Amino acid sequence: MELTRRQMIVTSGAALASFAGLPAFASATDDVIAELTGGATLGEGAITLGTPEIAENGNTVPVEVSAPGAKSITLYADGNPVPGVAKFTFGPLNPTRSASTRVRLAKTQNVVAVAEMEDGTWQMAKSEVKVTIGGCGG
């Protein structure tokens, strides 16, 4: 098959357009997290985030999260059109401070958990999930 100049321009333009949206989702997630935390420094190590390494179907990806001493945990998917996927708020009588759910992922991306701790600090954990069939129409 012979590739003409016009086909090459169209193909290159389509490739650039598909990559142009990638940083926007990551920065949208970063912006939402900064808004949630008020720009506070995020620590690491206090959250246990359980996700599969590979999800065969992005429609139902199981996620487990645990953060002893957390008041709330918010989950984000940095490659989804709307990054916020779940928020869990814990009362003082909840002994485990853990939750599990299923989320929809559009493509291979990071699942990010941000926890507000009882002492006012913020913790974060990330886990990459490789999606073979997208769950948001892809």
Side-chain angles (χ1 to χ4, degrees):
M1 177 178 156
E2 202 171 303
L3 189 63
T4 66
R5 187 177 75 152
R6 181 170 290 173
Q7 290 171 329
M8 183 63 171
I9 290 171
V10 170
T11 303
S12 299
L16 286 174
S18 69
F19 288 116
L22 293 178
F25 289 132
S27 66
T29 303
D30 293 342
D31 292 344
V32 172
I33 291 172
E35 184 178 324
L36 173 71
T37 63
T41 303
L42 299 173
E44 292 186 12
I47 301 175
T48 303
L49 180 60
T51 61
E53 186 175 325
I54 298 173
E56 292 183 18
N57 187 342
N59 280 322
T60 57
V61 179
V63 177
E64 294 179 356
V65 64
S66 175
K71 290 195 309 188
S72 67
I73 301 172
T74 307
L75 294 177
Y76 299 97
D78 66 9
N80 278 359
V82 178
V85 293
K87 181 171 184 173
F88 306 101
T89 304
F90 305 106
L93 298 178
N94 184 320
T96 62
R97 311 293 168 104
S98 63
S100 63
T101 188
R102 293 186 181 273
V103 298
R104 181 175 283 190
L105 301 179
K107 57 186 174 186
T108 297
Q109 61 190 287
N110 290 319
V111 173
V112 181
V114 177
E116 180 181 10
M117 306 306 281
E118 289 176 337
D119 63 2
T121 61
W122 293 89
Q123 296 287 320
M124 181 176 78
K126 283 185 184 179
S127 178
E128 183 182 40
V129 179
K130 296 176 181 142
V131 178
T132 58
I133 300 173
C136 294

